[in-house]
Amino acid sequence: MTQSQSAPRELVVAVPKGRVLDQLGPRLEAAGLDPAPLYAKGRELIRVDRERGIRYLLLKPDDVPTWVEYGAADLGIVGRDVLLEREYDLYAPVDLGIGRCRMMVCGKPGQPVRGEGGRTLRVATKFMNIAARHFREKGVAVELIYVQGSVELAPLTGLADVIVDLVETGETLRANGLSPLEPICEISSVVVANRASLKLERERIAPLLERLAARG
Ligand code: PRP
């Protein structure tokens, strides 16, 4: 095959492993894509839909924008929490309205969300920048403690007074005797696009973004 006859390169789409993946399938399908490769059993991190020329990369949610920013993926699906936590040079044209949850300050019921008796409020979180910004805007002095997961344990064990974390169903809070204390912001999943890809592959990407934006 000569260059001019060869098929266009596959579009590379970075998708997050985990909860949002279940909600993503119907949205991809509605946009005319075939999500089946994403749900096929196996440990392969690259899943290809040859018919539609799409190559999916399965990534940790936090890593999706990195792949897209560096152009190793053209598009990505990522929670707004990830984009609020770190700055990326990305275009975020479509809110998918899936993966809906809230970023919240949580703790034991009745726990004040400020330092008491001259003590600084101790806050455990994975979202250091979101938490810092929230408490700075409120004028509350905090000591931030970074933890990667099982953050609900922090108020239960004396590591911190409160946590900043995502709340979806509230089940994890309830199961651990904690309550939402203060909302920070609403979160949902968005499509991010590499800026160069958007220019070079506009003919393929623009209609796809339009179809992804349409909510059935
Ligand atoms: C998130 C979050 C909470 C939980 C909230 O963790 O950190 O722990 O979900 O969801 P719920 O309100 O529906 O109970 P996730 O399960 O995504 O795992 P992670 O700790 O690895 O981020």
Side-chain angles (χ1 to χ4, degrees):
M1 235 196 280
T2 67
Q3 188 69 21
S4 59
Q5 288 169 318
S6 62
R9 73 168 180 88
E10 284 155 349
L11 271 189
V12 183
V13 181
V15 301
K17 292 190 272 189
R19 281 189 202 212
V20 170
L21 200 53
D22 291 338
Q23 297 174 42
L24 184 59
R27 294 302 300 276
L28 293 178
E29 206 162 6
L33 300 180
D34 177 13
L38 288 174
Y39 302 109
K41 288 218 179 339
R43 304 284 293 171
E44 295 83 2
L45 299 173
I46 298 177
R47 308 294 179 92
V48 181
D49 173 2
R50 287 188 204 291
E51 206 182 315
R52 291 163 192 82
I54 307 276
R55 173 177 291 249
Y56 295 104
L57 307 181
L58 282 173
L59 293 166
K60 284 249 187 198
D62 290 4
D63 289 334
V64 165
T66 307
W67 255 259
V68 180
E69 183 177 33
Y70 283 87
D74 300 296
L75 299 174
I77 315 296
V78 63
R80 270 198 199 283
D81 52 312
V82 180
L83 302 181
L84 289 170
E85 183 57 22
R86 250 193 64 190
E87 271 186 33
Y88 299 92
D89 183 20
L90 284 172
Y91 184 59
V94 175
D95 189 324
L96 289 172
I98 59 173
R100 285 185 185 280
C101 54
R102 293 175 110 185
M103 186 69 70
M104 302 203 74
V105 183
C106 309
K108 289 184 185 166
Q111 163 70 43
V113 187
R114 60 181 181 281
E116 289 190 301
R119 256 192 74 231
T120 304
L121 186 73
R122 284 209 312 223
V123 182
T125 188
K126 189 178 114 175
F127 303 98
M128 298 291 273
N129 293 323
I130 293 172
R133 205 156 48 227
H134 174 72
F135 288 109
R136 194 167 53 239
E137 282 167 9
K138 285 189 58 191
V140 171
V142 292
E143 179 184 348
L144 295 175
I145 303 168
Y146 178 73
V147 293
Q148 288 199 15
S150 299
V151 64
E152 292 83 3
L153 275 176
L156 302 176
T157 56
L159 179 68
D161 302 306
V162 295
I163 62 175
V164 166
D165 199 21
L166 294 170
V167 180
E168 187 182 358
T169 61
E171 186 52 40
T172 311
L173 289 180
R174 277 192 295 279
N176 291 287
L178 301 180
S179 295
L181 300 173
E182 199 168 81
I184 299 180
C185 59
E186 305 284 334
I187 301 292
S188 54
S189 293
V190 299
V191 182
V192 289
N194 175 270
R195 290 188 184 279
S197 301
L198 207 56
K199 289 196 189 108
L200 298 170
E201 299 286 342
R202 180 170 284 284
E203 282 178 18
R204 279 201 290 171
I205 291 180
L208 180 57
L209 291 177
E210 259 178 49
R211 294 200 303 272
L212 285 168
R215 304 211 193 148

